[in-house]
Amino acid sequence: MNKNLKEMLIVAFFTAIMGQIHFYPFGTEFRITIAVILFPFLLLYFRNLTIADTAVLVAVFVLITRTAIDVLLHNNSFEISLSRHIPASFFYICYGIIIDRLKFRAHADKPLQFLFIIIFADIASNFLELVLRNHFINNPFESILETVVLTAIIRSSIILCLFLTIKYYNLIIVKEEHQRRYNDLIVITAKMKSEIFFLKKSMQDIENAMGKSYSIYNRLNDEEKLTDREREQLRSDSLELSIQIHEIKKDYNRIVLNMEKILPAREAGNTMEISEIFDVIQGLFVLYIEGLNKDIKLSFKVKKDYETDKFFIIISILNNLIQNSIEACLNDNSYISVISEIDNSRAVFRIIDNGKEISDDVKELIFEPGYTSKYDPNTGLISTGLGLAHVKMLTEHLNGTISINSARRGEKEFMLAFPTDELISGR
């Protein structure tokens, strides 16, 4: 089952269950529950979920749960129970649409704006439910307004307090983790500085070897005029040059070995599934897209999951290509789809977007180092043009290929193809 669907089911299930903790403020079918506290809180926790879709699923679960309880425990008829709880379903749909359109996740770090959004969503959704229940016919508006507003303020304040409490608790943990990593970084930096010394020594050895080599070259040009003593000196210099080059080789070999010891080693058998890689990448880009305030739908699909020990390279390649697609998406209703599949003996990745198209003549140049069409009018700086060249080099390092195709009208597709023996662990 898709991970997002599992998370949506968790939100829907627990919201429906917590909806059974309630009271009836007006002595009618209208109830106030603590589920409205849990629902937005879970949406903050599961940040990858689409809010509107989750709200619809929650509405369905709430309707089914409440109807089933009425029928099974209170012996009410199915038709009466269903009609009784349909307005409550519209409450959650309305609530989800409002917080989605007002981008409440993006305002989570701004407490007052965040509080205003969820209070407004709570009040508006409650009024919609009350209208559907014809509640204003026999009840005074002032009394209803006071109760609904007070309830919204209390529930929303609890949501904000819970969110801030967990956020600051996580900050304390993160601070401790950062301190540990900072200490590790100091140790690594110290070791790296010692290796720089040997790199500088090797640079001087190379300089000396170059001078000695050029001297031998010049003397060989006048070989006929060389005396026996000069020939002996030439042989001695050649031998010394070979020794110096050998020393350089040993120094570089030692430096490489020490660098590998300093850098964290990957444990034997350490792999990641493609679905896990997609989750990592999605987590990186969801907030990034929200921060850009772009209307881009980013989706991932794994047709056949598998494990790979080349996950660092795959993440680097996909990050570059998705970043490139985001920059190409300039209009509303843009989308980027990342698909993984197995095609015969190839592991294939497709990155499809409906952003700015690439002309045929540019396709021939786009992977060349230094080529770029990106220009920042604010700073006057142009891109380095190394992103896609970097992608191509990493792809070829895994014996793969990369190509640009036209998927459908208005779409472009970057297709990566790797030999399965190269990418899939255990083959």
Side-chain angles (χ1 to χ4, degrees):
M1 186 184 293
N2 182 274
K3 183 180 179 182
N4 280 1
L5 179 57
K6 288 181 181 178
E7 292 174 351
M8 288 173 68
L9 291 172
I10 290 172
V11 175
F13 175 79
F14 282 103
T15 302
I17 294 300
M18 296 305 290
Q20 300 314 304
I21 304 176
H22 61 274
F23 68 95
Y24 299 95
F26 308 119
T28 63
E29 301 295 341
F30 179 81
R31 67 170 69 175
I32 289 177
T33 78
I34 66 170
V36 183
I37 297 174
L38 184 65
F39 177 50
F41 185 78
L42 290 176
L43 289 175
L44 285 172
Y45 182 80
F46 297 116
R47 281 186 170 268
N48 292 333
L49 295 183
T50 304
I51 295 175
D53 293 343
T54 307
V56 171
L57 187 61
V58 167
V60 172
F61 265 62
V62 167
L63 181 61
I64 292 173
T65 303
R66 295 185 185 183
T67 302
I69 290 174
D70 273 5
V71 171
L72 298 176
L73 299 183
H74 303 297
N75 296 319
N76 293 332
S77 70
F78 174 79
E79 292 79 11
I80 293 175
S81 298
L82 186 67
S83 62
R84 178 187 179 193
H85 296 298
I86 284 177
S89 298
F90 281 94
F91 169 92
Y92 287 98
I93 294 173
C94 178
Y95 192 99
I97 291 172
I98 291 173
I99 62 175
D100 185 30
R101 298 307 299 174
L102 294 180
K103 301 184 183 299
F104 92 118
R105 283 173 176 159
H107 293 88
D109 293 325
K110 303 171 185 174
L112 290 178
Q113 295 180 29
F114 176 80
L115 187 62
F116 173 80
I117 290 171
I118 53 179
I119 288 175
F120 174 74
D122 199 326
I123 294 172
S125 303
N126 271 323
F127 268 97
L128 174 64
E129 182 178 349
L130 289 166
V131 168
L132 293 175
R133 292 184 184 279
N134 296 318
H135 200 285
F136 293 100
I137 296 175
N138 300 317
N139 294 276
F141 178 80
E142 292 79 10
S143 173
I144 294 173
L145 178 64
E146 180 181 347
T147 302
V148 168
V149 171
L150 181 61
T151 300
I153 292 173
I154 293 173
R155 289 197 295 203
S156 300
S157 298
I158 293 173
I159 295 167
L160 180 61
C161 290
L162 284 173
F163 174 72
L164 291 177
T165 300
I166 293 175
K167 178 185 176 182
Y168 287 121
Y169 174 75
N170 288 335
L171 284 176
I172 293 172
I173 295 175
V174 169
K175 184 179 179 181
E176 293 175 352
E177 177 65 12
H178 281 180
Q179 185 62 45
R180 184 188 66 79
R181 292 187 179 185
Y182 179 73
N183 294 338
D184 292 342
L185 182 61
I186 291 175
V187 174
I188 291 174
T189 302
K191 293 179 180 179
M192 293 287 280
K193 284 185 177 293
S194 67
E195 296 308 317
I196 289 173
F197 165 80
F198 289 103
L199 281 173
K200 289 180 177 178
K201 172 184 175 294
S202 295
M203 289 169 63
Q204 186 59 51
D205 289 341
I206 291 171
E207 187 69 29
N208 294 337
M210 287 171 59
K212 186 74 69 177
S213 175
Y214 188 72
S215 174
I216 293 172
Y217 168 80
N218 285 334
R219 289 155 66 185
L220 284 174
N221 284 336
D222 297 324
E223 183 179 2
E224 295 177 355
K225 299 178 182 179
L226 293 178
T227 64
D228 291 341
R229 185 176 179 180
E230 288 173 334
R231 287 192 178 91
E232 183 62 32
Q233 183 63 43
L234 190 61
R235 283 194 290 270
S236 176
D237 287 346
S238 298
L239 178 60
E240 186 179 346
L241 177 60
S242 298
I243 293 171
Q244 287 180 351
I245 293 174
H246 184 64
E247 284 297 313
I248 294 169
K249 176 185 175 184
K250 287 197 301 182
D251 281 344
Y252 272 102
N253 185 55
R254 188 192 59 76
I255 290 168
V256 168
L257 291 175
N258 282 333
M259 290 284 193
E260 290 176 343
K261 290 178 182 177
I262 291 171
L263 296 173
R266 183 174 57 83
E267 297 178 2
N270 191 11
T271 62
M272 285 183 73
E273 292 183 342
I274 296 299
S275 57
E276 292 178 300
I277 292 174
F278 281 6
D279 288 340
V280 169
I281 296 172
Q282 189 172 34
L284 290 173
F285 280 106
V286 165
L287 289 178
Y288 175 72
I289 292 173
E290 285 184 1
L292 293 176
N293 201 27
K294 283 192 172 185
D295 183 15
I296 302 175
K297 182 180 180 181
L298 177 62
S299 63
F300 293 82
K301 183 177 183 180
V302 180
K303 292 188 176 180
K304 184 176 182 181
D305 213 354
Y306 57 86
E307 293 186 347
T308 179
D309 58 357
K310 308 295 192 309
F311 50 88
F312 282 129
I313 297 179
I314 295 301
I315 289 173
S316 181
I317 291 172
L318 294 178
N319 276 352
N320 272 282
L321 291 175
I322 293 170
Q323 177 71 45
N324 194 72
S325 290
I326 290 173
E327 292 172 357
C329 290
L330 305 175
N331 302 317
D332 291 339
N333 299 318
S334 297
Y335 57 83
I336 302 170
S337 300
V338 185
I339 302 169
S340 169
E341 58 188 358
I342 302 294
D343 181 11
N344 296 324
S345 60
R346 301 185 307 165
V348 176
F349 294 92
R350 303 180 190 275
I351 298 86
I352 304 169
D353 68 68
N354 64 340
K356 184 180 178 181
E357 296 185 15
I358 300 173
S359 60
D360 291 337
D361 55 334
V362 171
K363 288 179 183 179
E364 302 296 326
L365 303 171
I366 200 167
F367 295 110
E368 295 298 322
Y371 175 82
T372 181
S373 59
K374 298 172 187 174
Y375 170 79
D376 188 339
N378 296 321
T379 64
L381 298 176
I382 61 172
S383 170
T384 59
L386 295 177
L388 291 177
H390 179 67
V391 166
K392 185 178 181 182
M393 284 188 286
L394 290 176
T395 302
E396 291 176 347
H397 175 70
L398 296 180
N399 297 318
T401 60
I402 182 169
S403 59
I404 308 174
N405 309 310
S406 297
R408 292 184 299 181
R409 183 174 180 84
E411 289 185 344
K412 65 176 180 293
E413 172 191 83
F414 283 87
M415 189 180 80
L416 301 158
F418 302 94
T420 52
D421 293 341
E422 186 72 44
L423 208 62
I424 302 179
S425 300
R427 288 208 175 190

